């Protein structure tokens, strides 16, 4: 496998509300993301997962450290939206204009990249097909779609610019177990068909077995351990990972 992104000793610190306090949201994180892999980032609430995602897509700048894209065409600073890594959030309603039809929502990144409306619309049906949705939804508004459908639409929108990296930030947290399983299956098949990498952010350890190729376990902004998913689950090294596994077994 070849490396897509190198994250080296990256930190993101915020000033706290108390004078002199520093919040170390991300605290010296180093890892490499490979082409065409699913890399899970797991940790409890507040461990720094979303901040890391925002640093990777360029929504935030690191306090220190470097993020190096080894495939230059995908770097977040590039002007063409087609080159940007795409972030899909937990709550699709927060990233969808409720007054826009699905046709306009899925083609928005293409339009922002200068694609003419007619051409973008012509591709909208195919984009929905990629996420196993019927073209019947194209004329609907977000409130006329289910939560699972909206998450698929958000993924279709991300796919519209053929990203080399899709970041899925807790995208199944609000879904029922069977819809969650369908979305994970969809991501697995998209990894194959689109040849992209997926950074899968979750606090649910039970979702990564048989899905993620590798996993990094985060706590307090730092990576506690990292490795092939099967190895980490079979032989966890950190007390925190063992605790997470016990909690899953108990539940
Ligand atoms: N803009 C900000 N200003 C100050 N502190 C922040 C800011 N954004 C995040 N934090 C803090 O940074 C830490 C990491 O937050 P982050 O949202 O990255 O965690 P997370 O692991 O994604 O949590 P969750 O699973 O609940 O979304 C938290 O303590 C959070 O309160």
């Amino acid at each position: 496998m070849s490396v897509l992104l190198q994250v080296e000793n990256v930190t993101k610190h915020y000033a706290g509300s108390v004078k002199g306090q520093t919040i170390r949201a991300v605290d010296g994180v180093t890892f490499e993301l490979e082409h065409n892999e699913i890399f899970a980032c797991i940790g409890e609430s507040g461990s720094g997962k979303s901040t890391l995602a925002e640093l990777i897509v360029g929504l935030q700048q690191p306090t220190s450290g470097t993020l190096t894209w080894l495939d230059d065409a995908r770097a977040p600073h590039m002007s063409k939206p087609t080159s940007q890594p795409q972030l899909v959030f937990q709550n699709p309603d927060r990233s969808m204009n409720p007054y826009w039809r699905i046709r306009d929502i899925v083609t928005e990144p293409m339009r922002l990249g200068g694609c003419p409306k007619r051409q973008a619309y012509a591709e909208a049906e195919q984009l929905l097909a990629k996420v196993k949705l019927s073209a019947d939804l194209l004329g609907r508004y977000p409130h006329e779609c289910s939560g699972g459908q909206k998450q698929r639409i958000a993924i279709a929108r991300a796919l519209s610019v053929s990203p080399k990296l899709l970041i899925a930030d807790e995208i199944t947290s609000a879904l029922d177990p069977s819809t969650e399983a369908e979305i994970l299956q969809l991501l697995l098949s998209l990894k194959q068909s689109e040849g992209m990498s997926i950074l899968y952010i979750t606090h649910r350890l039970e979702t990564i077995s048989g899905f993620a190729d590798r996993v990094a376990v985060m706590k307090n902004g730092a990576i506690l351990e990292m490795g092939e998913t099967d190895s980490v689950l079979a032989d966890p090294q950190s007390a925190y990972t063992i605790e997470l596994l016990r909690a899953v077994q108990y539940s």
Side-chain angles (χ1 to χ4, degrees):
M1 284 242 191
S2 58
V3 174
L4 173 67
L5 171 66
Q6 279 177 337
V7 178
E8 287 177 287
N9 210 12
V10 164
T11 64
K12 181 67 187 180
H13 294 172
Y14 298 106
S17 49
V18 178
K19 196 170 177 233
Q21 181 197 18
T22 301
I23 297 165
R24 300 172 184 276
V26 173
D27 203 20
V29 162
T30 296
F31 67 98
E32 289 181 341
L33 252 175
E34 292 172 356
H35 281 277
N36 202 213
E37 75 164 339
I38 298 182
F39 186 93
C41 179
I42 188 154
E44 65 194 10
S45 182
S47 54
K49 310 180 298 294
S50 297
T51 306
L52 181 60
E54 288 173 9
L55 290 167
I56 291 174
V57 296
L59 284 173
Q60 304 228 42
Q61 293 307 308
T63 307
S64 63
T66 54
L67 294 115
T68 310
W69 294 86
L70 298 182
D71 179 347
D72 277 341
R74 315 301 173 196
H77 62 268
M78 298 284 285
S79 57
K80 265 180 74 187
T82 49
S83 62
Q84 304 244 358
Q86 295 292 303
L87 181 52
V88 179
F89 298 97
Q90 175 178 356
N91 182 351
D93 287 320
R94 289 182 61 188
S95 64
M96 286 180 189
N97 187 328
Y99 301 108
W100 283 14
R101 293 182 194 274
I102 303 308
R103 178 182 289 109
D104 292 299
I105 290 171
V106 289
T107 54
E108 183 185 15
M110 300 168 72
R111 302 279 311 281
L112 286 173
C115 179
K117 191 173 185 174
R118 182 188 291 246
Q119 189 186 329
Y121 277 9
E123 289 186 33
E125 186 172 335
Q126 201 197 343
L127 283 170
L128 284 201
K130 281 186 178 182
V131 296
K132 316 270 187 289
L133 285 179
S134 156
D136 295 348
L137 293 184
L138 286 172
R140 291 196 199 172
Y141 292 96
H143 75 272
E144 296 171 319
C145 303
S146 71
Q149 285 171 333
K150 278 187 273 193
Q151 247 355 349
R152 286 172 190 262
I153 290 162
I155 294 168
R157 175 174 55 189
L159 295 179
S160 71
V161 289
S162 306
K164 268 286 163 194
L165 173 63
L166 183 143
I167 303 181
D169 189 355
E170 302 273 13
I171 65 169
T172 62
S173 298
L175 304 176
D176 64 79
S178 72
T179 309
E180 174 176 59
E182 285 170 15
I183 295 282
L184 295 184
Q185 192 54 48
L186 172 68
L187 290 179
L188 259 180
S189 67
L190 287 172
K191 174 197 150 188
Q192 302 296 345
S193 61
E194 305 295 306
M196 63 184 179
S197 305
I198 297 172
L199 177 60
Y200 173 71
I201 293 174
T202 185
H203 63 278
R204 285 165 36 77
L205 191 62
E206 60 271 38
T207 60
I208 66 169
S209 176
F211 172 67
D213 300 296
R214 292 191 299 145
V215 58
V217 180
M218 277 188 85
K219 191 176 185 196
N220 297 332
I223 293 180
L224 297 186
E225 73 175 292
M226 179 166 52
E228 304 279 328
T229 302
D230 290 346
S231 314
V232 171
L233 295 183
D235 185 22
Q237 299 298 306
S238 80
Y240 177 64
T241 313
I242 294 169
E243 197 183 303
L244 287 178
L245 272 170
R246 281 215 187 103
V248 172
Q249 282 154 6
Y250 180 73
S251 66

